[in-house]
Amino acid sequence: MNPAPHPRPAPGLPGRRGLLGGLLTGAALAAVPALAAPDHAGASPAPAPAGPRAPRPLLLGTYTSEGGGGRGIGTAAYDTGTGAITPGPVITGVENPSYLARHPSGATVYAVAEQGAGAVTAVAIGPDGTYEVLGSRPTGGSGPTHLSVHPSGRWLLSANYTSGSVAVHPIAEDGSLGERTDLVTHSSPPPGPGQGGPHAHQVITSPDGGHVLAVDLGTDTVYTYRLDASAGTLTEVSRAALAPGSGPRHLAFHPGGRFAYLACELDNTMVVCAYDPATGTLTPGSGQSTGTGSGVSYPAQPVVTGDGAHVYLANRGHNSLTRYAVEGDGAVLRLLDTVPVGGDWPRQLALSPDSSLLFAANQRSSTVTVFGVGPDGSLTGAGAPFPAPVAVCVLPLP
């Protein structure tokens, strides 16, 4: 969700405010005109050093109910060498797709519908570049902001921010969604300072596949659940308490599976957490600097390179990316510096499958900026910002 003031309402809530491997076809397809990149202050970033390579699909999440927003899931193609983005059509018929996730098979993509009557939508992606919207299912809550697919490919997990709950949906062989099998509301502990209730902001599966973790900004807690792989139900096994008023938002695991890095948006910190795969227990350390100075910069999301050597963090208020070096087999983050993101309000980050490119979805400037990632963790701007209406999620596909 969007602070300033926090929590900012999502579109559609009362009082709140591409190219896919070829030509997309279908009744819900609408062409997107190519737009000139906006003229931002300062010189455009230097091109990434790599030469052109085969393009790969890129999906873009937005708000369809917000002024200047998109009309569905945007599509594009990105050059895997230079990072250059080419616009494609729009997958329409999908409301407020503010977060996207890919099925492990690569044949389906899922989107939240961030609105009062929350929902999740399945979109099938054909090998020939065709697509089909497979339908939506209600999440049982309001304002879903995040979703992920269990590594088994059988379950979709979603986090309802406004109602503070986590939902589970079964995934059929064709990628479509069945009726919800569970809904867990975070009824305790009491909300943190300034919060009117629980606000589930993320739900993911641990790298070992044994546990599901839900990050709740409203209760300053990360809940760990065990998923019944047959029934699709969640059983709580532990809780990790963060500092009162810290506002934990998103976490990302180190590939070693024993540590995770948690962005706390309200106290402007990053927290290294130890994780025990046997019990599912997450143990937070002390909050550490994001390098953005005094005040609250609303850090949004961390991402970890595939080799586990570096972590990047999006800072919305500071309009920057924090760079950390990872040490101690994942146990230590060493702050390196911050890099201007080249856009306004970086809501979400994504690495390309090989971690050679970093994408930032900049909500308020309606752009996506791209950086080449060096072996030493350096970031090199890859061309001018790409126009994308109210860009809140970017998903590079393999």
Side-chain angles (χ1 to χ4, degrees):
M1 287 307 186
N2 300 309
H6 178 81
R8 175 189 170 195
L13 292 181
R16 297 185 73 205
R17 98 110 230 140
L19 186 67
L20 297 179
L23 180 64
L24 289 172
T25 60
L29 186 62
V32 175
L35 301 176
D39 183 15
H40 291 280
S44 297
R53 298 177 190 166
R56 298 303 305 156
L58 188 76
L59 299 182
L60 303 165
T62 184
Y63 289 126
T64 59
S65 61
E66 184 169 301
R71 293 180 289 118
I73 300 174
T75 78
Y78 72 97
D79 186 294
T80 56
T82 67
I85 300 175
T86 303
V90 171
I91 304 172
T92 58
V94 184
E95 298 299 315
N96 290 321
S98 64
Y99 203 88
L100 309 169
R102 173 182 174 269
H103 191 278
S105 69
T108 316
V109 170
Y110 300 93
V112 298
E114 189 181 332
Q115 52 200 21
V120 284
T121 300
V123 179
I125 306 298
D128 56 353
T130 61
Y131 82 96
E132 180 184 4
V133 177
L134 300 177
S136 301
R137 297 285 185 178
T139 60
S142 57
T145 59
H146 186 269
L147 79 175
S148 61
V149 182
H150 188 266
S152 67
R154 296 181 54 201
W155 306 101
L156 182 71
L157 310 165
S158 56
N160 294 305
Y161 175 88
T162 307
S163 54
S165 58
V166 175
V168 184
H169 287 81
I171 299 176
E173 288 293 327
D174 65 353
S176 62
L177 297 170
E179 290 293 341
R180 188 179 65 251
T181 55
D182 204 0
L183 180 69
V184 178
T185 300
H186 299 154
S187 57
S188 65
Q195 301 293 336
H199 296 304
H201 214 308
Q202 183 193 34
V203 58
I204 60 172
T205 305
S206 59
D208 59 281
H211 297 91
V212 170
L213 290 87
V215 181
D216 196 296
L217 188 151
T219 63
D220 298 317
T221 301
V222 180
Y223 302 81
T224 299
Y225 299 96
R226 190 175 295 280
L227 174 68
D228 186 316
S230 298
T233 54
L234 296 170
T235 301
E236 184 179 328
V237 296
S238 69
R239 297 180 183 181
L242 280 298
S246 58
R249 179 183 175 95
H250 274 221
L251 64 77
F253 274 95
H254 185 271
R258 300 304 298 264
F259 297 95
Y261 312 110
L262 177 59
C264 293
E265 72 167 67
L266 298 183
D267 70 358
N268 196 33
T269 61
M270 179 80 105
V271 177
V272 178
C273 304
Y275 173 73
D276 183 351
T279 64
T281 302
L282 193 74
T283 305
S286 300
Q288 56 192 82
S289 173
T290 62
T292 57
S294 60
V296 179
S297 192
Y298 302 112
Q301 182 193 20
V303 292
V304 187
T305 55
D307 61 4
H310 293 90
V311 173
Y312 304 102
L313 174 67
N315 302 298
R316 288 167 293 170
H318 197 244
N319 286 332
S320 68
L321 305 173
T322 302
R323 297 192 312 128
Y324 297 96
V326 179
E327 299 173 344
D329 293 327
V332 176
L333 289 184
R334 177 167 55 88
L335 176 65
L336 297 176
D337 57 17
T338 61
V339 177
V341 74
D344 189 2
W345 207 253
R347 168 74 172 262
Q348 184 255 354
L349 300 180
L351 287 160
S352 61
D354 63 358
S355 292
S356 66
L357 296 170
L358 177 67
F359 300 84
N362 303 301
Q363 181 175 354
R364 294 181 179 173
S365 58
S366 288
T367 58
V368 173
T369 45
V370 189
F371 298 83
V373 180
D376 60 352
S378 59
L379 296 175
T380 304
F386 175 76
V390 189
V392 291
C393 184
V394 56
L395 179 62
L397 300 180

